[in-house]
Amino acid sequence: MRTGVPLQLTQRIQYLAYDPGVRPREGGLPGLEVLKKVMGSINLFGIVAVVGALAISALVWAWGHHSGGHQAEQNGKKGVTVAAGCALLLGAANGIVAFFSSMGTQVH
């Protein structure tokens, strides 16, 4: 009586394993070069903003240290750490995406 249940499960698994054949392809849509330039400009804007955030955080850290403001000192340290992490991620964005994209192509 329950022979239909495993068959439905098997069909669902086969459906999930179906390869639709979609692959990233350069030149498929117009405007790809413009989009790349826009993303590069946004990345550069982010890096410039991080430089400002890092400088301000370092100033707050120094001011807090020399004035005895422990709260300001801790916030400055936190800001420097966050800015450094953002700079790392912005600089490594292409590599991170390329790494996970290539890992994704290996999933079967």
Side-chain angles (χ1 to χ4, degrees):
M1 298 273 170
R2 290 192 160 263
T3 58
V5 173
L7 183 61
Q8 289 176 354
L9 181 61
T10 305
Q11 287 174 342
R12 287 181 184 169
I13 291 172
Q14 286 175 348
Y15 179 73
L16 289 174
Y18 175 73
D19 182 14
V22 177
R23 305 277 183 268
R25 188 171 63 105
E26 196 164 329
L29 289 174
L32 185 60
E33 289 302 317
V34 173
L35 184 61
K36 285 180 182 180
K37 287 180 183 178
V38 168
M39 291 298 111
S41 297
I42 290 172
N43 195 337
L44 177 63
F45 181 78
I47 290 172
V48 170
V50 165
V51 169
L54 184 64
I56 291 170
S57 296
L59 287 173
V60 169
W61 184 359
W63 175 73
H65 177 74
H66 290 292
S67 68
H70 300 293
Q71 181 92 21
E73 183 179 1
Q74 291 302 316
N75 286 336
K77 286 180 186 179
K78 193 182 332 177
V80 166
T81 304
V82 169
C86 287
L88 177 70
L89 289 174
L90 286 169
N94 284 333
I96 292 169
V97 171
F99 173 77
F100 283 107
S101 177
S102 67
M103 293 301 291
T105 60
Q106 297 176 10
V107 174
H108 296 287

